[in-house]
Amino acid sequence: MMSERTTGLAIEAEGLTRSFGETRALAGMDLQVPAGTVYGLLGPNGAGKTTAVRVLATLLRPDGGRARVFGHDVVTQADRVRARVSLTGQYASVDEDLTGVENLVLLGRLLGLRKPAARERADQLLAAFGLTDAGARQVKKYSGGMRRRIDIAASILNTPDLLFLDEPTTGLDPRSRNQVWEIVRAVVAHGTTVLLTTQYLDEADQLAGRIAVVDHGRVIAEGTPGELKSSIGAGTVHLRLRDAAQRPEAEKVLQAALGVPVQLEADSLALTARVGSEGNDLAAGEQAARALADLARAGIVVDDFSLGQPSLDEVFLALTDHPAVPDDERDEQLEAAR
Ligand SMILES: Nc1ncnc2c1ncn2[C@@H]1O[C@H](COP(=O)(O)OP(=O)(O)OP(=O)(O)O)[C@@H](O)[C@H]1O
Ligand SMILES: [Mg+2]
């Protein structure tokens, strides 16, 4: 018989609301997360991802709506929920002044393990996460990737039934991101359900069985990565022409070849179009190749061409008609990054 931790729904939320002053962080969020899977909450800064996680992990009371975790209400049965969940926060909880081993042993002791058992579990986890050599060093001396791994190790010490991972790879280099992805896969293979928040479409695509796209405190789209991608197009063709005067002709040729609307960019040499959308059986790459051939045949000179996965921005544009990050905020962010 399958165990209850891997069947049915791990999370059911209906109409969750939560405001901070004037800000509606959650504006009626519905979620249904099947047990035994990775479920992605995908959304831009301020979408309400962390607020949703905090409500579901019983750290924050909702203003309205209700949510159950493995059938237990997060408000009225918070203790029973807490017994089954673990949270790796965006701003996580290990003690920076302690070493990796000390942190894990301490947590094991807090969870009721005797000292030798806590030490054994710590060693196992450090080995599993590639941190054996770093175990004796203070966590504040860890790299970003090592830090993320010790955070996850700490949160699965007692193999929770539901693990919240709040942006576990934001700011990591590609290699460290891959390591975290491997860990998430291993955790799920052991029967833990993972609710993963991310701002990266490719991360949700890599890990999640289903994804909820969140914007302004609501789920605006839900489905498997394949369903979401086919609803917005599997990729985007970016073209730059040699001669701006050829752009109207290029637009016509592209539109005919791809069967989708072509966007004219602010740069008078540039055009973009989505490819691989529903209703076209050809793979995105093949569609793009045909379109290029048609352009060449029409005598249009293309200086630069790329075929990209849809970005989070493109998902948002397709679903909401507004970019994930409004242009004025993006300018502020760029300014702040300087
Ligand atoms: N404790 C708080 N006090 C005031 N406002 C808050 C608080 N927590 C969240 N907010 C606001 O609620 C909204 C949703 O925030 P939340 O942290 O849930 O977003 P997020 O999707 O996790 O974003 P990010 O990707 O930046 O982590 C934001 O406008 C945020 O400023
Ligand atoms: Mg957040």
Side-chain angles (χ1 to χ4, degrees):
M1 223 176 76
M2 300 244 283
S3 90
E4 181 244 347
R5 68 193 286 255
T6 56
T7 58
L9 291 178
I11 299 173
E12 284 175 275
E14 282 162 29
L16 284 181
T17 57
R18 171 73 204 212
S19 295
F20 298 100
E22 297 285 280
T23 309
R24 293 199 84 193
L26 296 179
M29 184 175 287
D30 300 325
L31 277 180
Q32 297 202 316
V33 175
T37 63
V38 179
Y39 193 92
L41 277 191
L42 175 69
N45 286 129
K49 302 181 299 294
T50 296
T51 305
V53 163
R54 292 180 64 211
V55 166
L56 295 169
T58 77
L59 300 177
L60 187 72
R61 279 176 83 104
D63 297 332
R66 55 196 231 120
R68 280 180 300 240
V69 170
F70 295 109
H72 306 302
D73 189 280
V74 296
V75 176
T76 60
Q77 298 176 297
D79 287 348
R80 303 187 66 170
V81 173
R82 275 182 213 135
R84 306 194 53 175
V85 307
S86 186
L87 171 69
T88 298
Q90 208 169 351
Y91 315 100
S93 55
V94 303
D95 186 331
E96 302 241 315
D97 288 322
L98 299 182
T99 67
V101 173
E102 286 165 349
N103 265 295
L104 295 182
V105 170
L106 181 71
L107 279 167
R109 300 280 286 154
L110 288 172
L111 289 167
L113 296 180
R114 287 171 181 282
K115 202 158 188 194
R119 177 69 208 217
E120 193 185 322
R121 182 79 180 126
D123 288 342
Q124 271 171 5
L125 283 167
L126 289 168
F129 285 60
L131 291 171
T132 300
D133 293 341
R137 299 221 305 270
Q138 281 180 310
V139 167
K140 67 180 166 205
K141 294 179 183 149
Y142 282 18
S143 70
M146 291 159 69
R147 175 62 202 258
R148 245 37 97 82
R149 282 181 276 150
I150 193 85
D151 285 339
I152 300 175
S155 60
I156 63 166
L157 204 96
N158 64 338
T159 51
D161 292 337
L162 173 61
L163 172 65
F164 295 100
L165 291 176
D166 194 4
E167 298 195 27
T169 66
T170 296
L172 296 186
D173 63 38
R175 193 170 142 266
S176 305
R177 286 181 82 194
N178 270 305
Q179 288 174 335
V180 170
W181 289 353
E182 282 311 311
I183 289 167
V184 174
R185 292 190 184 105
V187 168
V188 173
H190 280 87
T192 294
T193 304
V194 175
L195 185 74
L196 167 92
T197 79
T198 181
Q199 302 192 29
Y200 305 123
L201 182 64
D202 65 325
E203 176 157 290
D205 188 22
Q206 282 283 329
L207 292 177
R210 299 187 74 83
I211 299 171
V213 182
V214 181
D215 190 32
H216 297 303
R218 274 205 180 86
V219 175
I220 58 168
E222 206 271 350
T224 64
E227 286 165 356
L228 287 176
K229 277 198 280 178
S230 67
S231 71
I232 57 155
T236 304
V237 182
H238 301 270
L239 285 175
R240 261 176 78 82
L241 307 177
R242 165 97 27 106
D243 179 1
Q246 289 190 318
R247 192 161 78 157
E249 180 65 15
E251 183 187 2
K252 259 185 248 159
V253 173
L254 268 184
Q255 198 144 334
L258 299 171
V260 294
V262 174
Q263 252 178 289
L264 302 177
E265 301 297 311
D267 169 357
S268 65
L269 293 169
L271 305 95
T272 60
R274 294 203 191 97
V275 290
S277 48
E278 237 168 347
N280 195 325
D281 292 338
L282 290 180
E286 223 168 313
Q287 281 185 47
R290 290 193 182 195
L292 274 180
D294 288 353
L295 288 167
R297 220 170 292 129
I300 294 165
V301 187
V302 175
D303 264 353
D304 194 37
F305 163 83
S306 67
L307 174 59
Q309 277 264 318
S311 66
L312 179 61
D313 265 342
E314 282 157 341
V315 176
F316 269 76
L317 266 178
L319 293 171
T320 66
D321 283 332
H322 71 79
V325 181
D327 286 341
D328 49 337
E329 273 176 43
R330 187 194 310 269
D331 292 345
E332 280 165 29
Q333 282 177 13
L334 286 174
E335 206 55 51
R338 274 190 200 120

